[in-house]
Every structure is written in C-alpha cells, then in structure tokens.
Amino acid sequence: MATTKEKIIETSIKLFNEKGCLNTSTRHIADKLGISVGNLYYHFKNKEDILIDIFTNYVKIVFKEVNSINYEKDEMFLLKDFLLNNLETDIQYRFLHLELNLLLMSFPKFKYIMEEQLKNEIKIIKKLLDHQILYGYIKPMSENEMNFLVSNTWIIVTNNLSYWNILSNDLHSNVKNGSLNIYYFIKPYLTQKSLDNEKLKNIENLLLKGDNEL
Amino acid sequence: MATTKEKIIETSIKLFNEKGCLNTSTRHIADKLGISVGNLYYHFKNKEDILIDIFTNYVKIVFKEVNSINYEKDEMFLLKDFLLNNLETDIQYRFLHLELNLLLMSFPKFKYIMEEQLKNEIKIIKKLLDHQILYGYIKPMSENEMNFLVSNTWIIVTNNLSYWNILSNDLHSNVKNGSLNIYYFIKPYLTQKSLDNEKLKNIENLLLKGDNEL
Amino acid sequence: MATTKEKIIETSIKLFNEKGCLNTSTRHIADKLGISVGNLYYHFKNKEDILIDIFTNYVKIVFKEVNSINYEKDEMFLLKDFLLNNLETDIQYRFLHLELNLLLMSFPKFKYIMEEQLKNEIKIIKKLLDHQILYGYIKPMSENEMNFLVSNTWIIVTNNLSYWNILSNDLHSNVKNGSLNIYYFIKPYLTQKSLDNEKLKNIENLLLKGDNEL
Amino acid sequence: MATTKEKIIETSIKLFNEKGCLNTSTRHIADKLGISVGNLYYHFKNKEDILIDIFTNYVKIVFKEVNSINYEKDEMFLLKDFLLNNLETDIQYRFLHLELNLLLMSFPKFKYIMEEQLKNEIKIIKKLLDHQILYGYIKPMSENEMNFLVSNTWIIVTNNLSYWNILSNDLHSNVKNGSLNIYYFIKPYLTQKSLDNEKLKNIENLLLKGDNEL
DNA sequence: AATGAATGAGAGTTCATTCAT
DNA sequence: AATGAATGAACTCTCATTCAT
C-alpha cells in the first residue's frame, strides 16, 4: 500500500511523461490522484521538489549497474545488462531526458543538482573507461578522444529517444532502438576481446528482433 | 530595412534563445520590439506560426551545404566546412534543439512539419552516405549500421549543446566542443582517403584551439 | 467619462477602505468593477502598483495646502482651511493610515516611496514651523521640542481616525473629531497672535458642532 | 518550565512582531515551536483566540502602573516610571499597535474586546487626570480639552513606533523616541509642581541620551 | 496531549488570443 | 498596418481549520 507521497510521485511521473512536466500543473496531479492541491503541497513544498525527488530516484536506479563494478579486478563492464536493464528505466523516466533543457531553465535548484550529478557521472565513466582499457576491453585512446567519447555517450544515452519518438509512437520499439544507438556508437571502441566475450554475444540480435518481451 | 514581419522573427529568435520559446510570451516579443500585440497577431496567426516560420528558415540554412553536393561526381563532402559554417547557425537557432521535445508536445502543426522534415533529412543523409561510400570516403557498412550512424548523427548534431551548456556558460566554446562531438563521432567511419584529404586537415586543431575568431 | 484605469483606482480605494487593502484581492476589484482580472493586470502590473498610484495621488492632494504658502512674506499658515479641507481626503484615503504598517511590511516598493515621502514631509513641516515662529504665529522652541512636535503631529494626523473608529461607526463625526485632535494638539504651541487671528476664529466650534455639511 | 500553551503564546508574539500577525500562519507558529498544527488547535480554538490571549496579557501588564495609584491621597502619577517600564512592553507587543486596525477588521471577537477595553481605559485615564488636576500636578482644563488630551494620548502611545520605524531600523532607539513623544506631548499640560518634582527630573535626559541599558 | 494527513477556498499573476477602432 | 483594451482560463502556492488516530 503506497503512501500518499509515493502516489504523488507515481502520478507525477506518469503525467510528466504523457504531457511534459512543464505542461502538467500541480492541480492536474492532484486531480488525477483524487486529492486536494493543498494536500499535495503538504507533502511537497513545491513543484520543483517533486521533480528533484523523481530525479534523485532515477539517478539511483541508473547508477546501480555502473557502481557495481570491482575496479581492482579484470572484469568486463556488462554493457549488455546495462542496456537491457535500462530499457524500462528509460521509458519510465523519459520526460527527464526529453525536457531536460527547459527543466534546467525553469528550476534553479534542479539545475544545480543536475550540474553536480553530471560532473560526477563524467568522473565515474572516465574511471570505468580507464579500467576497461587497462584490461583490454576498450581500445586505448587519447585524452581528447576520451573526452568526446564520454560526452557523446552522454548525449546519445540522454537523447536517443527524442529521435525515434519523432518517427514512431511505438514507445517500446523506440526504446530498443535507442539502446542500439548506444551499442552501435560504442562498438568501434570495443576490442576483439570484448566482442568475442560471451556476455556481449547476441545483444545486437536481441535488440533488433521485435521481441516485445524485453 | 527589415519589414515588421522580419523584425518579429528576429526578436522572437533572440528571446527564444535567451529564455526558451515556451517561456516567452507573445507580449514579451511585442514589447521588446516596440509594437502592439495586436500587430504581432496581424502578421502571425499565432505563436506556433512564428515558430514554424523560424524552423523553416533554419532548415533552409542548414541544408544548403548538404544539398550543394553533386551526386554524379567523385566529390568529398565538405565535413570541415559543414562543421565550421554551422557553428553560427547552431548558436542562432539553439532553442530549436534545446527545447525540441516540448515544442513537439505543445505545437501539433510544428510536430507534423518536423516529422516530415526528419524523414526527408534521413533520406538525404543516407543518399549522401551511399555516395561517400561509393567513392571511398566512408567505410562500407551494413544497413543496420547505416541506420544507426544516421540516427546517432542526428542525435549528436541536435543535442551536443545540451551537454556542454550544463557544464559551462561560455556559449562559443560550447558550440565548438559540440562540433568536435560531431567530428569525433564521424571519425571512426572515415577512410584513410578522407583523413588524408587536404580539405579535412587540421579541422581538429582548428576547433580544439581556443580561437575565438571562428 | 472615467477610463478603465481610473475606475480601477476608484473601485480599489472604495474596497480598500471598506475591508482593508490586504483583505481585498485583485479579483474582488475586478469583479466589483465588472471587468476581467486579466484586464486589471493589463492596466496595472501588480497590486502594489495600484497602491502606489493611490498613495501618490493622496500625497498630491494633501500637500497642496502646505506647499501654497509664501515663505518670503508674513503669512499665517491656514490651519483652519487645512483641517477643514482634509476632512474629505482623510475619509477617502483612510485605509492608507489605518493599514500603514502592514502595507509597509508587504510592499517593498511602497515602503521605499513612503520613507522618502516622510523624510520630505519632515523637512517641509520644519521649514513651515520655522517660518511661523519667525513671524510670531508659533511659540519659539528648542530643536528637540520641534522634532517631537513634528513627529507627534505626524502621528496624530495619521492615526487619529484609528481611535474614533473603535468607539463609533459614524465616519463623518469621527473625522471631525480627528481634526479636533490635531487642533487641540497644536493649540498649546500657538501664540496669542495666532489665536486672535480672524482666520482661526471659531474653528473649534465649527468642528465641535455636529454640522454634517462640512 | 513553560506549558505548551505558554510556549505557543511566546512563539506567536515573537513571530507576530517579526512579520505581523496577519502574515504569520498557524503553521509557521507550530513549525517554529516544533509541535504539530493539530496540537496548536488543541490548545487554541483558532488564531483569533491566540491573539485575544496575547492582548489580554498585554492589557494586564500596561495597566499595572496606572491601577496602582491611590486616588484618596495626594500622589503624583509616576509618569517617569510609566514611560521607562513600558519601553520593554512596547517592544514586546509592538505588533498589537502596528497592526491594530487590520486586526480589528479581521477578528470580530477581538474587535469587541478591544472596544470594551478602550472605553474602560478612557474612564480610568479621565479619573487619573481629574485626580492629578485636583492635587495640582496637571493644569485644569475644559471637558473638551480633556477629551482630546485623552484621545491624543492614546493615539500617541499606540502609534509612536510607527513613525520612527519608517525612519530607522534601530528598534531600541525608536522605542525611546516614542517615549519622548509621549513625554513632550504631556509636558504642556504639566504644572510647575510636576516639573519640579524629583520623580520627573532628568527623564528627558535619560531618554535622549543613547543609553542602551534602559 | 499530540500527531500529521487532508480539505477547499482563495491569493496574486500570466498567457494566448480576439476585436473594435 | 497598427493600436491597445479586453477576455477567461490556467498557473503555483498559501491558509485556517478539521479530524481520525
């Protein structure tokens, strides 16, 4: 049995994805949930706080995978699992990516948190790349190349859905295509050792097939 | 001497970039320009029409380069010129990229035009890639690979600024970094013939150096 | 025929006096006047601007008398006229006095204007007093005494109605009593020359009598 | 150890003085005190009851001085002590004076109590004045003069702070100036016998000097 | 005594758009 | 071509108060 606070978050995410956070009024949320606006503001001090709550949750989920790696050992990053597991998350929190820039303009506290989060993400991804290069899963590269590998990865991870949504309404198929965007972007940087690894095998086919069970 | 209609467009672009299209009211535009709201609505039926006018203009400018190629001859696409020329355009129309998804949600007519435009762009870019592959400037690839090369290119072209804007306020430097995002993304697909070509030489250094004259 | 802007001011003053400015919403004003809230905000950028407009008008009216004196000549300040003429003004703008402190707390721009106005008033009244002392209408006094004569005058002028309103609902009679408050306060400072002057004769009786025609 | 009820009163007074009673919500009070709103409403039926409780307390404190006089004997009213003792009270309950009129408009029960209180105060002060006139401390005067002496006294006592607060933020210095307002207002009515009395000596200097120990 | 979730009305303000002139 | 007054719906947020526990 979800608390009212949880239900507000649930309903907000649903509406934000459907119509955009900026197009969803606090009254919409309250009405949809069947509570009074006053009650909503009892649980959250303002709209930005709802957004930040959602974002914080999102970050936790996405970085579980990345943070689970053991940097001391020869361990390949489970790109396949990362891609597959995040299909669902990407759908559930898609408004965060699709509206990002306007959210940053409208909510200063959110902007600050997002900035700090991105800086942190960059550090973590670089560390991960260094580790994967060290153990031969990713081809060595210059500092510049790495900087733009990181930034391009972020750009593609964050914005892939935007492209496919313009072309089709099939959200599930779009998300899979988005994962393939990430995969194909990364591929040129993978070593043969990576490509031969069991753990990466058939990811391409898995995502290309229209298997809606994923 | 610009007509009122042109001046409305100019002012709108300026304000949309500064504060976002969705955060700019028609009154803002009229006030900034020193005309009445009524007059603005005399020239444009509604806000969406202003947006569409701007978008149409943008498309024209960006595709000049791509359309100028002669598909009958062995001719390398001038990636360097494309990147450099578009620095300015990307700055001037940046709101179109940064706000894209919410604009699509809010303006149905714009959404329709954008959809058609994207489908058209995809065709053109694929044709261009086929041509460049034929003459050995780009490495051959499968249809799948090409689809994701195209989509990733669009994603990176459209969203690179979003990344750098979070990290810094220096718009000009951010735009240059964005061009490098495109360049580094394309690089693995270029053949040696391309990389050796005079016309691509030193593009990397040009953009990496802090040369503000660009 | 009054303009909409003037009618907004009229209606605002009426409502502010009846229920207090802070208890009157912009929607009240618009409803009472029969216009839309949007229209009200077309004419005034916010509630504070309405208040400031009213206050500015009030200041103009009240200081006409005081400013009309010729400081070069032996001329007695027309206290009687001042008191009688301001009966009406005091009624019409009474909310300004009755709510003053909360208005200052709630409207920062108004606070600033009021501060400047008070400083200005103090200067003017001191100049007037010096002049009246010079020509023997007011008894000479120390600087301290003058400071507190000025401040007490302001306090009584501004707050007399507050007292009588608690005791009675007869607004016109209350305002007259308020004028007598000012008169009796000033009286000990007047010279015999003043008290004998035709222009001050029978002011006391005039205000004490229940003559509602004033 | 203060009871919850007492602590609510304490906290309310503090907040009312800082931001005004009308600008302080019951939630503010509960939050500041660290109790629940429900609990606050357990102890007080509504906001008006808190206000009335505070007002009743205030009246008790202020009238201690006035009521202590023995009307049968030749005894001078201790104006000096009254002024000095009330400095503190005036600071502690200043919102009652500053917001009075809006409080009367907003709280009908409070209005009723205040009306009765004022009528009572008037009687007491008149009795006091008669007594002081009888024993030669105050100059004889007509009934009219006495009525306006009483009303002006109330007006000045109640509103002096309003004037000084506009000109300065130094609360303690403002309160002292306010006491001087009362003193200088009363002075013309005092007989030589009063002015020569030990008990009034040097009150002027005491308040004029910047002695912060008061 | 005390909690904290909930209500419903209402606050100030903004906005895209219309229309008579 | 242009003005500027007007609309009405929507927005975020606050408030005094209630009530089951």
Side-chain angles (χ1 to χ4, degrees):
Chain A
M1 184 127 83
T3 65
T4 303
K5 191 161 181 170
E6 285 161 356
K7 281 191 265 177
I8 291 171
I9 291 295
E10 269 173 44
T11 311
S12 297
I13 291 175
K14 201 179 296 174
L15 290 174
F16 289 176
N17 281 326
E18 279 169 24
K19 327 191 297 163
C21 171
L22 260 28
N23 290 328
T24 302
S25 70
T26 46
R27 191 162 262 114
H28 281 149
I29 302 167
D31 282 355
K32 176 98 174 187
L33 187 51
I35 63 168
S36 66
V37 205
N39 196 12
L40 185 147
Y41 275 89
Y42 173 77
H43 290 286
F44 292 92
K45 118 168 171 292
N46 51 38
K47 202 182 171 184
E48 187 169 22
D49 263 25
I50 300 179
L51 175 62
I52 289 172
D53 196 293
I54 294 172
F55 179 66
T56 311
N57 247 19
Y58 166 75
V59 168
K60 263 188 221 145
I61 295 173
V62 168
F63 272 71
K64 216 190 291 176
E65 213 80 37
V66 179
N67 285 323
S68 69
I69 207 159
N70 183 344
Y71 288 103
E72 310 301 315
K73 298 202 303 189
D74 178 343
E75 191 178 334
M76 185 172 115
F77 174 65
L78 299 177
L79 182 60
K80 181 176 155 188
D81 290 6
F82 175 78
L83 292 175
L84 294 181
N85 292 342
N86 284 319
L87 288 176
E88 195 50 44
T89 316
D90 276 359
I91 291 183
Q92 216 201 322
Y93 292 91
R94 63 190 183 276
F95 82 92
L96 273 176
H97 291 160
L98 295 175
E99 279 185 88
L100 183 60
N101 297 291
L102 241 76
L103 294 178
L104 295 171
M105 276 183 179
S106 308
F107 299 109
K109 219 170 118 192
F110 172 72
K111 185 173 151 75
Y112 175 76
I113 293 176
M114 175 69 213
E115 279 169 12
E116 298 305 303
Q117 173 57 24
L118 180 53
K119 286 178 199 156
N120 196 30
E121 283 182 25
I122 292 171
K123 270 190 217 142
I124 292 172
I125 295 175
K126 279 191 176 167
K127 190 174 161 194
L128 181 63
L129 283 172
D130 281 335
H131 174 265
Q132 297 289 301
I133 290 171
L134 180 66
Y135 289 103
Y137 297 108
I138 294 207
K139 297 175 188 164
M141 62 188 76
S142 72
E143 205 193 318
N144 267 330
E145 279 174 319
M146 186 178 287
N147 279 332
F148 287 96
L149 173 54
V150 169
S151 49
N152 271 333
T153 305
W154 187 91
I155 292 167
I156 292 172
V157 166
T158 307
N159 297 290
N160 60 67
L161 203 49
S162 163
Y163 177 86
W164 300 104
N165 274 353
I166 299 174
L167 297 170
S168 141
N169 288 321
D170 181 347
L171 194 52
H172 285 270
S173 144
N174 292 350
V175 172
K176 274 198 223 161
N177 277 330
S179 289
L180 280 164
N181 276 113
I182 304 171
Y183 175 71
Y184 278 112
F185 167 68
I186 297 285
K187 209 177 162 188
Y189 302 91
L190 299 179
T191 58
Q192 201 57 40
K193 182 179 172 189
S194 269
L195 293 167
D196 290 345
N197 193 303
E198 275 301 309
K199 287 165 180 164
L200 203 56
K201 275 275 162 66
N202 78 335
I203 167 77
E204 218 161 324
N205 293 329
L206 225 79
L207 287 167
L208 278 169
K209 277 189 305 186
D211 188 350
N212 282 321
E213 299 310 307
L214 284 180
Chain B
M1 184 127 84
T3 65
T4 302
K5 191 160 182 171
E6 285 162 356
K7 280 191 269 178
I8 291 170
I9 291 296
E10 264 174 48
T11 311
S12 297
I13 292 175
K14 201 178 295 175
L15 289 174
F16 290 178
N17 280 326
E18 278 169 24
K19 328 188 301 162
C21 170
L22 260 31
N23 291 328
T24 303
S25 69
T26 47
R27 241 223 193 175
H28 281 150
I29 302 168
D31 282 358
K32 178 99 174 188
L33 185 50
I35 64 169
S36 68
V37 204
N39 196 13
L40 186 148
Y41 273 86
Y42 174 79
H43 289 286
F44 291 92
K45 173 161 132 276
N46 52 36
K47 203 181 169 184
E48 187 169 21
D49 265 24
I50 300 179
L51 175 63
I52 289 171
D53 196 293
I54 293 172
F55 179 66
T56 312
N57 246 19
Y58 166 75
V59 169
K60 264 189 221 145
I61 295 173
V62 169
F63 273 73
K64 215 191 292 174
E65 213 81 37
V66 181
N67 285 324
S68 70
I69 208 159
N70 183 341
Y71 289 103
E72 310 301 317
K73 298 204 303 191
D74 177 343
E75 191 179 334
M76 186 173 112
F77 173 65
L78 299 177
L79 182 61
K80 181 176 157 188
D81 290 5
F82 174 78
L83 292 176
L84 295 181
N85 292 341
N86 283 320
L87 287 177
E88 197 50 43
T89 317
D90 276 0
I91 290 183
Q92 216 200 320
Y93 292 90
R94 63 190 183 275
F95 83 92
L96 273 176
H97 291 162
L98 295 174
E99 279 185 87
L100 183 60
N101 298 290
L102 231 69
L103 294 177
L104 295 170
M105 278 180 178
S106 309
F107 300 110
K109 221 170 113 191
F110 171 73
K111 185 173 151 75
Y112 175 74
I113 293 175
M114 177 68 214
E115 279 169 13
E116 297 307 303
Q117 172 57 25
L118 180 53
K119 287 177 198 156
N120 194 31
E121 281 181 26
I122 292 171
K123 272 189 215 139
I124 291 172
I125 295 175
K126 278 190 176 169
K127 190 176 161 195
L128 180 64
L129 283 173
D130 281 335
H131 174 265
Q132 296 289 300
I133 290 170
L134 180 65
Y135 288 102
Y137 296 108
I138 295 210
K139 297 175 187 164
M141 62 187 77
S142 73
E143 202 193 320
N144 267 330
E145 277 174 320
M146 186 177 289
N147 278 333
F148 288 96
L149 174 53
V150 169
S151 50
N152 270 335
T153 306
W154 187 90
I155 292 166
I156 292 171
V157 166
T158 307
N159 298 289
N160 61 67
L161 203 50
S162 162
Y163 176 85
W164 300 105
N165 274 354
I166 298 173
L167 297 171
S168 141
N169 289 320
D170 181 348
L171 192 53
H172 284 269
S173 144
N174 291 349
V175 171
K176 271 197 224 164
N177 277 330
S179 291
L180 280 164
N181 276 114
I182 305 171
Y183 175 71
Y184 278 112
F185 169 67
I186 297 286
K187 209 177 163 188
Y189 302 92
L190 299 179
T191 59
Q192 201 58 39
K193 183 178 171 190
S194 270
L195 294 168
D196 290 345
N197 192 301
E198 276 301 308
K199 287 165 182 165
L200 203 58
K201 274 276 161 64
N202 77 336
I203 167 76
E204 215 161 325
N205 293 331
L206 224 80
L207 288 167
L208 278 170
K209 275 189 307 186
D211 189 350
N212 282 319
E213 300 309 306
L214 285 181
Chain C
M1 183 126 84
T3 65
T4 302
K5 192 161 181 171
E6 285 161 357
K7 280 192 267 178
I8 291 171
I9 291 295
E10 268 173 44
T11 310
S12 297
I13 291 175
K14 200 178 297 174
L15 290 174
F16 290 177
N17 280 325
E18 278 169 23
K19 326 190 300 164
C21 170
L22 259 29
N23 290 329
T24 303
S25 71
T26 49
R27 196 162 260 116
H28 280 150
I29 301 168
D31 282 356
K32 176 98 174 188
L33 186 51
I35 63 169
S36 66
V37 207
N39 196 13
L40 186 148
Y41 275 88
Y42 173 76
H43 290 286
F44 292 92
K45 117 167 173 293
N46 52 38
K47 200 181 172 184
E48 187 170 22
D49 263 25
I50 300 179
L51 175 63
I52 289 171
D53 196 292
I54 294 172
F55 178 68
T56 311
N57 248 19
Y58 166 75
V59 168
K60 264 189 220 144
I61 294 173
V62 169
F63 273 72
K64 216 191 291 175
E65 213 80 37
V66 179
N67 285 323
S68 69
I69 208 160
N70 183 343
Y71 288 102
E72 308 302 315
K73 298 202 304 190
D74 178 342
E75 192 179 332
M76 185 172 114
F77 174 66
L78 299 177
L79 182 60
K80 182 177 155 188
D81 290 7
F82 175 78
L83 292 176
L84 294 180
N85 292 343
N86 284 320
L87 289 176
E88 196 50 43
T89 315
D90 275 359
I91 290 183
Q92 215 201 322
Y93 292 91
R94 63 191 182 276
F95 83 92
L96 274 176
H97 291 162
L98 296 174
E99 277 185 90
L100 183 59
N101 298 291
L102 242 77
L103 293 177
L104 295 170
M105 275 183 180
S106 307
F107 300 109
K109 221 170 118 191
F110 172 72
K111 184 174 151 75
Y112 175 75
I113 293 176
M114 175 70 213
E115 279 169 13
E116 297 306 303
Q117 172 58 25
L118 180 53
K119 286 177 199 156
N120 196 30
E121 282 181 26
I122 292 171
K123 270 190 215 141
I124 291 172
I125 294 175
K126 279 188 176 171
K127 190 175 161 194
L128 180 63
L129 284 172
D130 282 335
H131 175 265
Q132 297 288 300
I133 290 170
L134 181 66
Y135 289 102
Y137 297 107
I138 294 208
K139 298 175 187 164
M141 62 187 77
S142 73
E143 204 193 317
N144 266 329
E145 278 174 320
M146 186 178 287
N147 279 331
F148 287 95
L149 172 54
V150 169
S151 49
N152 270 334
T153 305
W154 187 91
I155 292 166
I156 292 171
V157 166
T158 306
N159 298 290
N160 60 68
L161 203 50
S162 162
Y163 177 86
W164 300 105
N165 275 353
I166 298 174
L167 297 170
S168 142
N169 288 321
D170 181 347
L171 194 54
H172 285 269
S173 145
N174 292 349
V175 171
K176 272 197 223 160
N177 277 331
S179 290
L180 280 164
N181 276 113
I182 304 172
Y183 176 70
Y184 279 112
F185 168 68
I186 297 284
K187 208 176 163 189
Y189 301 92
L190 298 179
T191 59
Q192 201 58 38
K193 182 179 172 189
S194 269
L195 293 169
D196 291 345
N197 193 302
E198 275 303 307
K199 287 166 180 164
L200 203 58
K201 275 276 161 66
N202 79 335
I203 167 77
E204 217 162 324
N205 293 331
L206 225 82
L207 287 167
L208 278 170
K209 277 190 305 186
D211 188 349
N212 282 320
E213 300 310 306
L214 284 181
Chain D
M1 184 127 82
T3 66
T4 302
K5 191 159 182 172
E6 285 161 355
K7 279 191 270 178
I8 291 170
I9 292 296
E10 264 174 49
T11 310
S12 297
I13 292 174
K14 201 179 295 175
L15 289 174
F16 290 177
N17 281 325
E18 279 169 23
K19 329 190 298 162
C21 170
L22 259 31
N23 292 328
T24 303
S25 70
T26 46
R27 243 226 193 170
H28 282 149
I29 302 168
D31 282 358
K32 177 97 172 188
L33 185 51
I35 64 169
S36 67
V37 204
N39 196 13
L40 186 148
Y41 273 85
Y42 174 81
H43 289 285
F44 291 92
K45 171 161 133 274
N46 51 36
K47 203 181 170 185
E48 188 169 20
D49 266 23
I50 299 178
L51 175 63
I52 289 171
D53 197 293
I54 293 172
F55 179 67
T56 312
N57 247 18
Y58 167 74
V59 169
K60 263 188 222 147
I61 294 172
V62 169
F63 275 72
K64 215 189 293 174
E65 212 81 35
V66 180
N67 286 322
S68 70
I69 208 161
N70 183 343
Y71 289 103
E72 310 301 316
K73 299 203 302 189
D74 178 344
E75 191 178 335
M76 186 173 115
F77 174 65
L78 300 177
L79 181 60
K80 181 176 156 188
D81 289 5
F82 174 78
L83 292 176
L84 295 181
N85 291 343
N86 283 320
L87 287 176
E88 197 48 45
T89 316
D90 277 0
I91 291 182
Q92 216 201 320
Y93 292 90
R94 63 190 183 276
F95 83 94
L96 274 177
H97 291 161
L98 296 174
E99 280 185 87
L100 183 60
N101 298 289
L102 232 70
L103 293 177
L104 295 171
M105 279 181 178
S106 310
F107 300 109
K109 220 170 116 191
F110 172 71
K111 186 173 150 75
Y112 175 76
I113 293 176
M114 176 69 213
E115 278 168 15
E116 297 307 303
Q117 172 57 27
L118 180 53
K119 286 177 198 156
N120 195 31
E121 282 182 26
I122 293 171
K123 270 188 217 143
I124 293 171
I125 294 174
K126 279 190 177 166
K127 190 175 161 193
L128 181 64
L129 284 172
D130 281 335
H131 175 265
Q132 297 288 301
I133 291 170
L134 181 67
Y135 290 102
Y137 297 108
I138 294 207
K139 298 175 188 164
M141 61 188 77
S142 72
E143 203 195 320
N144 267 329
E145 279 175 318
M146 186 179 288
N147 278 333
F148 288 97
L149 172 55
V150 170
S151 50
N152 270 335
T153 306
W154 187 90
I155 292 166
I156 292 172
V157 166
T158 308
N159 297 289
N160 60 67
L161 203 51
S162 163
Y163 176 86
W164 301 105
N165 274 353
I166 298 173
L167 298 170
S168 142
N169 289 320
D170 180 346
L171 192 54
H172 285 268
S173 143
N174 291 349
V175 171
K176 272 197 223 162
N177 277 330
S179 291
L180 279 163
N181 276 113
I182 305 172
Y183 175 71
Y184 278 111
F185 167 68
I186 297 285
K187 208 177 163 190
Y189 302 92
L190 299 180
T191 59
Q192 201 57 40
K193 182 179 172 190
S194 269
L195 294 167
D196 290 345
N197 193 302
E198 275 302 308
K199 287 164 181 166
L200 203 56
K201 276 274 162 67
N202 79 334
I203 167 76
E204 215 161 325
N205 293 330
L206 223 80
L207 289 166
L208 278 170
K209 277 189 306 187
D211 187 350
N212 282 318
E213 299 309 306
L214 286 180

